[in-house]
Amino acid sequence: MIILNTLTVLIQIAFIVFMTLLSMNIIKYFTGVGKMVMVAPALFVNHGGGPMPLLGEKDHLGLTKFLRDEVKKHVNLKEIKAIVLVTAHWEESEVTISSGDRHELYFDYYGFPPETYKYKYDAPGDPELAKRIQTALKKAGVQSKLDPKRGWDHGVFVPMLLINPVADIPIIQISVLSNQNPEEHYNIGQVLKQFRKEGIAIFGSGMSYHNMREFFYGRNAGRVVNEEFDEFLNDACTSGNSLRKEKLLLWEQQPGAREAHPPRAAEHLMPLIVIAGAGGEGPGERIFNWDMSGTFRLSGFIWKND
């Protein structure tokens, strides 16, 4: 009987030790080198006119609400390790990548109240990630350069002040190309896609409709002026990769295209094309569809799967 009891105790001890070791290994797996990392999303947002989404301007209220309240329903910011943000307000002849530890803000707008030139957004940069992005682009035959000095423009800090005001996620700002070539921009996105598997989100900040003349003189037209082109964008972005690329490369040939993005002024569409390239094989989802001033329809898209 004593031997049996002793054996029972030893078995219990061995079981407890085994379960403890098993639990430790499971914890180590999920928190250590072998950690399972989510595939971060590719997201396109409209950033509005200058700082107006931050000012509560009446024609931007729907956009402000989306950036402030709705994005977090689609993007788990707590799981994102970094954000690569492609901005329409930085055009270069070759892809340029912010590579500083920190970047000041670049107030690239004019004529707004004094407080709009005092915003702070102190998220860190990530020089090592910037170098890795440059290396990945080089392997794909895409010329690029690092820039440790240029400040983050309002295509970055305006949406990010609303999306993540605590500024605790590192950001890498990336330019669009001044040639506004859709195929080159789509290919850039396809290169950036690989970083999503590391929990690094790819954001595009532009406008799905951006005609400055109409913004000034065509508001409150009593109708949506770009309905047909907006539906084209939705159809393209909610298609699988090969068809999506085929459609977006021909965007200029679509009805209403050059009214939505005039010749040589399509820089605000380019971030969407980059993000579509980073979206992977599956279709995207339209998560924002809203009419600014009841006249200009804006759409935002997300790709969540690999």
Side-chain angles (χ1 to χ4, degrees):
M1 181 65 72
I2 294 175
I3 295 174
L4 182 59
N5 288 339
T6 301
L7 182 60
T8 300
V9 170
L10 290 174
I11 291 173
Q12 290 174 339
I13 292 172
F15 179 76
I16 292 171
V17 171
F18 171 77
M19 292 304 295
T20 300
L21 291 172
L22 180 62
S23 298
M24 290 175 66
N25 284 331
I26 291 174
I27 292 172
K28 181 179 179 181
Y29 178 79
F30 283 102
T31 60
V33 176
K35 180 179 179 180
M36 292 182 64
V37 179
M38 73 160 193
V39 175
L43 171 72
F44 172 77
V45 299
N46 299 269
H47 60 240
M52 287 192 281
L54 301 174
L55 294 173
E57 193 268 340
K58 64 180 180 65
D59 283 341
H60 282 71
L61 289 179
L63 178 55
T64 298
K65 183 178 185 299
F66 170 74
L67 294 171
R68 184 189 62 216
D69 302 330
E70 302 296 323
V71 169
K72 62 175 64 75
K73 296 179 182 179
H74 300 277
V75 180
N76 188 343
L77 297 173
K78 294 181 180 179
E79 293 186 356
I80 290 177
K81 292 185 174 182
I83 295 171
V84 175
L85 198 155
V86 182
T87 170
H89 285 275
W90 192 11
E91 286 190 280
E92 297 282 351
S93 59
E94 61 181 334
V95 179
T96 309
I97 307 160
S98 69
S99 58
D101 289 309
R102 296 277 173 178
H103 287 265
E104 299 294 326
L105 299 190
Y106 173 33
F107 298 104
D108 55 335
Y109 44 66
Y110 308 94
F112 290 96
E115 63 267 25
T116 65
Y117 301 90
K118 298 177 182 179
Y119 294 129
K120 301 289 184 183
Y121 196 75
D122 294 326
D126 190 332
E128 291 305 313
L129 176 57
K131 292 176 184 176
R132 291 179 55 220
I133 292 170
Q134 184 183 36
T135 298
L137 289 168
K138 182 178 180 179
K139 287 181 179 179
V142 178
Q143 288 189 325
S144 65
K145 60 183 178 182
L146 301 176
D147 187 332
K149 295 183 178 181
R150 185 186 190 271
W152 288 340
D153 59 57
H154 79 270
V156 177
F157 70 79
V158 167
M160 291 310 303
L161 275 166
L162 292 165
I163 293 171
N164 188 42
V166 296
D168 59 350
I169 302 174
I171 291 177
I172 300 294
Q173 176 180 244
I174 292 185
S175 75
V176 293
L177 295 172
S178 54
N179 64 16
Q180 299 179 7
N181 180 295
E183 185 167 18
E184 290 185 38
H185 284 90
Y186 202 95
N187 292 342
I188 291 165
Q190 290 183 307
V191 175
L192 296 177
K193 171 184 170 290
Q194 63 191 277
F195 294 97
R196 293 177 54 208
K197 296 179 181 179
E198 301 178 24
I200 298 168
I202 315 297
F203 283 11
S205 174
M207 295 280 279
S208 62
Y209 174 93
H210 193 264
N211 183 320
M212 290 301 297
R213 178 179 175 81
E214 292 302 310
F215 281 151
F216 282 109
Y217 302 111
R219 290 191 174 207
N220 304 307
R223 63 185 181 89
V224 174
V225 298
N226 63 311
E227 184 172 3
E228 191 170 8
F229 184 70
D230 184 78
E231 279 308 304
F232 158 74
L233 289 179
N234 181 54
D235 181 58
C237 290
T238 56
S239 299
N241 181 44
S242 59
L243 184 57
R244 180 168 71 242
K245 182 175 183 179
E246 178 183 333
K247 289 175 179 290
L248 288 175
L249 295 195
L250 299 176
W251 77 267
E252 295 173 83
Q253 301 176 22
Q254 308 309 313
R258 281 311 187 184
E259 288 74 24
H261 298 278
R264 299 178 299 281
E267 73 286 340
H268 276 71
L269 183 64
M270 295 303 110
L272 173 55
I273 296 179
V274 174
I275 298 308
E281 292 303 314
E285 175 188 358
R286 180 160 65 180
I287 59 173
F288 179 69
N289 190 229
W290 172 75
D291 298 341
M292 177 183 283
S293 304
T295 306
F296 314 112
R297 185 156 294 169
L298 302 177
S299 286
F301 300 91
I302 193 169
W303 286 263
K304 294 182 180 180
N305 299 318
D306 186 7

